[in-house]
Coordinates of all heavy atoms in Angstrom, one line a residue:
K136 N -14.1 -2.9 -29.9 CA -13.3 -2.0 -30.7 C -11.9 -1.9 -30.2 O -10.9 -1.9 -30.9 CB -14.0 -0.6 -30.8 CG -15.3 -0.6 -31.6 CD -16.1 0.7 -31.4 CE -15.5 1.8 -32.2 NZ -15.7 1.7 -33.6
S137 N -11.8 -1.8 -28.9 CA -10.5 -1.7 -28.2 C -9.7 -3.0 -28.5 O -8.5 -2.9 -28.9 CB -10.6 -1.5 -26.7 OG -9.4 -1.5 -26.1
Y138 N -10.3 -4.1 -28.4 CA -9.6 -5.4 -28.6 C -9.1 -5.5 -30.0 O -7.9 -5.9 -30.2 CB -10.6 -6.6 -28.3 CG -10.0 -7.9 -28.6 CD1 -9.0 -8.5 -27.8 CD2 -10.4 -8.6 -29.8 CE1 -8.4 -9.7 -28.2 CE2 -9.8 -9.8 -30.1 CZ -8.9 -10.4 -29.3 OH -8.3 -11.6 -29.6
L139 N -9.9 -5.2 -31.0 CA -9.5 -5.3 -32.4 C -8.3 -4.4 -32.7 O -7.3 -4.8 -33.4 CB -10.6 -5.0 -33.3 CG -11.8 -6.0 -33.4 CD1 -12.9 -5.4 -34.2 CD2 -11.3 -7.3 -33.9
L140 N -8.3 -3.2 -32.1 CA -7.2 -2.3 -32.3 C -5.9 -2.8 -31.6 O -4.8 -2.6 -32.1 CB -7.6 -0.9 -31.9 CG -6.7 0.3 -32.4 CD1 -6.4 0.1 -33.9 CD2 -7.5 1.6 -32.2
K141 N -6.1 -3.3 -30.4 CA -4.9 -3.8 -29.7 C -4.3 -5.0 -30.4 O -3.0 -5.1 -30.4 CB -5.3 -4.2 -28.2 CG -5.5 -3.0 -27.3 CD -5.7 -3.4 -25.9 CE -6.0 -2.1 -25.0 NZ -4.9 -1.2 -25.0
M142 N -5.1 -5.8 -31.0 CA -4.5 -6.9 -31.8 C -3.8 -6.4 -33.0 O -2.7 -6.9 -33.3 CB -5.7 -7.9 -32.2 CG -6.3 -8.6 -31.1 SD -5.1 -9.6 -30.1 CE -4.8 -10.9 -31.4
E143 N -4.3 -5.3 -33.6 CA -3.6 -4.7 -34.8 C -2.3 -4.2 -34.3 O -1.3 -4.2 -35.1 CB -4.5 -3.6 -35.3 CG -3.9 -2.9 -36.5 CD -4.7 -1.7 -37.0 OE1 -6.0 -1.8 -36.9 OE2 -4.1 -0.7 -37.4
L144 N -2.2 -3.6 -33.1 CA -1.0 -3.0 -32.6 C -0.1 -4.1 -32.0 O 1.0 -3.7 -31.5 CB -1.3 -1.9 -31.6 CG -2.1 -0.7 -32.1 CD1 -2.6 0.2 -30.9 CD2 -1.2 0.1 -33.0
Q145 N -0.5 -5.3 -31.9 CA 0.2 -6.4 -31.3 C 0.5 -6.2 -29.9 O 1.6 -6.5 -29.3 CB 1.5 -6.7 -32.1 CG 1.3 -7.1 -33.6 CD 2.6 -7.4 -34.3 OE1 3.6 -6.7 -34.1 NE2 2.5 -8.4 -35.2
D146 N -0.5 -5.6 -29.2 CA -0.4 -5.3 -27.7 C -1.1 -6.5 -27.0 O -2.3 -6.4 -26.6 CB -1.1 -4.0 -27.4 CG -1.1 -3.6 -26.0 OD1 -0.5 -4.4 -25.2 OD2 -1.7 -2.6 -25.6
S147 N -0.3 -7.5 -26.8 CA -0.9 -8.7 -26.1 C -1.4 -8.5 -24.7 O -2.4 -8.9 -24.3 CB 0.1 -9.9 -26.1 OG 0.5 -10.2 -27.4
S148 N -0.6 -7.7 -23.9 CA -1.0 -7.4 -22.6 C -2.2 -6.6 -22.5 O -3.2 -6.9 -21.7 CB 0.2 -6.6 -21.9 OG -0.2 -6.3 -20.6
G149 N -2.3 -5.6 -23.3 CA -3.5 -4.7 -23.4 C -4.7 -5.5 -23.9 O -5.9 -5.4 -23.4
A150 N -4.5 -6.4 -24.9 CA -5.6 -7.3 -25.4 C -6.1 -8.2 -24.3 O -7.4 -8.4 -24.2 CB -5.1 -8.1 -26.6
A151 N -5.2 -8.8 -23.5 CA -5.7 -9.6 -22.4 C -6.5 -8.9 -21.4 O -7.6 -9.4 -20.9 CB -4.4 -10.2 -21.7
N152 N -6.2 -7.7 -21.1 CA -6.9 -6.9 -20.1 C -8.3 -6.6 -20.7 O -9.3 -6.7 -19.9 CB -6.2 -5.5 -19.9 CG -7.0 -4.6 -19.1 OD1 -7.5 -3.5 -19.6 ND2 -7.2 -4.9 -17.8
V153 N -8.4 -6.3 -22.0 CA -9.7 -6.0 -22.6 C -10.6 -7.3 -22.6 O -11.8 -7.3 -22.4 CB -9.6 -5.4 -24.0 CG1 -10.9 -5.2 -24.6 CG2 -8.8 -4.1 -23.9
V154 N -9.9 -8.4 -23.0 CA -10.6 -9.7 -23.0 C -11.3 -10.0 -21.6 O -12.4 -10.5 -21.5 CB -9.7 -10.9 -23.5 CG1 -10.4 -12.2 -23.2 CG2 -9.3 -10.7 -24.9
D155 N -10.5 -9.7 -20.6 CA -11.0 -9.9 -19.2 C -12.2 -9.0 -18.9 O -13.2 -9.4 -18.3 CB -9.9 -9.7 -18.2 CG -10.3 -10.2 -16.8 OD1 -10.7 -11.4 -16.7 OD2 -10.3 -9.4 -15.8
N156 N -12.1 -7.8 -19.4 CA -13.2 -6.8 -19.3 C -14.5 -7.3 -20.0 O -15.6 -7.1 -19.5 CB -12.8 -5.4 -19.8 CG -11.8 -4.7 -18.8 OD1 -11.7 -5.1 -17.7 ND2 -11.1 -3.8 -19.4
I157 N -14.2 -7.8 -21.2 CA -15.4 -8.4 -22.0 C -16.0 -9.5 -21.2 O -17.2 -9.6 -21.1 CB -14.9 -8.9 -23.4 CG1 -14.5 -7.8 -24.2 CG2 -16.0 -9.8 -24.0 CD1 -13.8 -8.2 -25.5
G158 N -15.2 -10.4 -20.6 CA -15.7 -11.5 -19.8 C -16.5 -11.0 -18.6 O -17.6 -11.5 -18.4
M159 N -16.1 -9.9 -18.0 CA -16.9 -9.4 -16.8 C -18.2 -8.7 -17.3 O -19.2 -8.7 -16.5 CB -16.0 -8.4 -16.0 CG -14.9 -9.1 -15.2 SD -15.7 -10.2 -13.9 CE -15.8 -11.8 -14.7
A160 N -18.1 -8.1 -18.5 CA -19.4 -7.5 -19.0 C -20.4 -8.6 -19.3 O -21.6 -8.5 -18.9 CB -19.1 -6.7 -20.3
Y161 N -20.0 -9.8 -19.8 CA -20.9 -10.9 -20.0 C -21.3 -11.5 -18.7 O -22.5 -11.9 -18.6 CB -20.2 -12.0 -20.9 CG -20.2 -11.8 -22.4 CD1 -19.1 -11.6 -23.1 CD2 -21.5 -11.7 -23.0 CE1 -19.1 -11.4 -24.5 CE2 -21.5 -11.5 -24.4 CZ -20.4 -11.3 -25.1 OH -20.4 -11.1 -26.5
Y162 N -20.4 -11.5 -17.7 CA -20.8 -11.9 -16.4 C -21.9 -11.1 -15.8 O -22.9 -11.7 -15.3 CB -19.6 -11.9 -15.5 CG -19.8 -12.3 -14.0 CD1 -19.6 -13.7 -13.7 CD2 -20.2 -11.5 -13.1 CE1 -19.8 -14.1 -12.4 CE2 -20.4 -11.9 -11.8 CZ -20.2 -13.2 -11.4 OH -20.4 -13.6 -10.1
E163 N -21.8 -9.8 -15.9 CA -22.9 -8.9 -15.3 C -24.2 -9.1 -16.1 O -25.2 -8.8 -15.6 CB -22.4 -7.5 -15.4 CG -21.2 -7.2 -14.5 CD -21.5 -7.4 -13.0 OE1 -22.7 -7.4 -12.6 OE2 -20.5 -7.6 -12.2
K164 N -24.1 -9.4 -17.4 CA -25.3 -9.7 -18.2 C -25.9 -11.0 -17.9 O -27.0 -11.3 -18.3 CB -25.0 -9.6 -19.7 CG -24.8 -8.2 -20.3 CD -24.3 -8.3 -21.7 CE -25.2 -8.9 -22.7 NZ -26.4 -8.1 -23.0
G165 N -25.2 -11.9 -17.1 CA -25.7 -13.2 -16.7 C -25.4 -14.3 -17.7 O -25.9 -15.4 -17.6
N166 N -24.5 -13.9 -18.7 CA -24.1 -14.9 -19.7 C -22.8 -15.5 -19.2 O -21.7 -15.2 -19.7 CB -23.9 -14.2 -21.1 CG -23.7 -15.2 -22.2 OD1 -23.3 -16.4 -21.9 ND2 -23.9 -14.8 -23.4
Y167 N -22.9 -16.5 -18.3 CA -21.7 -17.0 -17.6 C -20.8 -17.9 -18.5 O -19.6 -17.9 -18.4 CB -22.1 -17.8 -16.4 CG -22.9 -16.9 -15.4 CD1 -24.2 -17.3 -15.0 CD2 -22.4 -15.7 -15.0 CE1 -25.0 -16.5 -14.2 CE2 -23.2 -14.9 -14.1 CZ -24.4 -15.2 -13.8 OH -25.2 -14.4 -12.9
P168 N -21.4 -18.7 -19.5 CA -20.5 -19.4 -20.4 C -19.6 -18.5 -21.2 O -18.4 -18.7 -21.4 CB -21.5 -20.1 -21.3 CG -22.7 -20.3 -20.5 CD -22.8 -19.1 -19.7
E169 N -20.2 -17.3 -21.7 CA -19.3 -16.4 -22.5 C -18.3 -15.7 -21.6 O -17.2 -15.4 -22.0 CB -20.2 -15.3 -23.2 CG -20.8 -15.8 -24.5 CD -19.7 -16.0 -25.5 OE1 -18.8 -15.2 -25.7 OE2 -19.8 -17.1 -26.2
A170 N -18.8 -15.4 -20.4 CA -17.9 -14.8 -19.4 C -16.7 -15.7 -19.1 O -15.5 -15.2 -19.1 CB -18.6 -14.5 -18.1

Side-chain angles (χ1 to χ4, degrees):
K136 287 170 78 71
S137 178
Y138 173 74
L139 290 173
L140 196 45
K141 285 188 183 295
M142 292 301 290
E143 180 186 326
L144 295 170
Q145 298 182 323
D146 178 4
S147 298
S148 177
N152 174 250
V153 177
V154 169
D155 192 56
N156 288 340
I157 291 170
M159 284 297 92
Y161 277 118
Y162 180 91
E163 295 298 339
K164 280 170 66 71
N166 189 339
Y167 304 122
E169 277 296 314

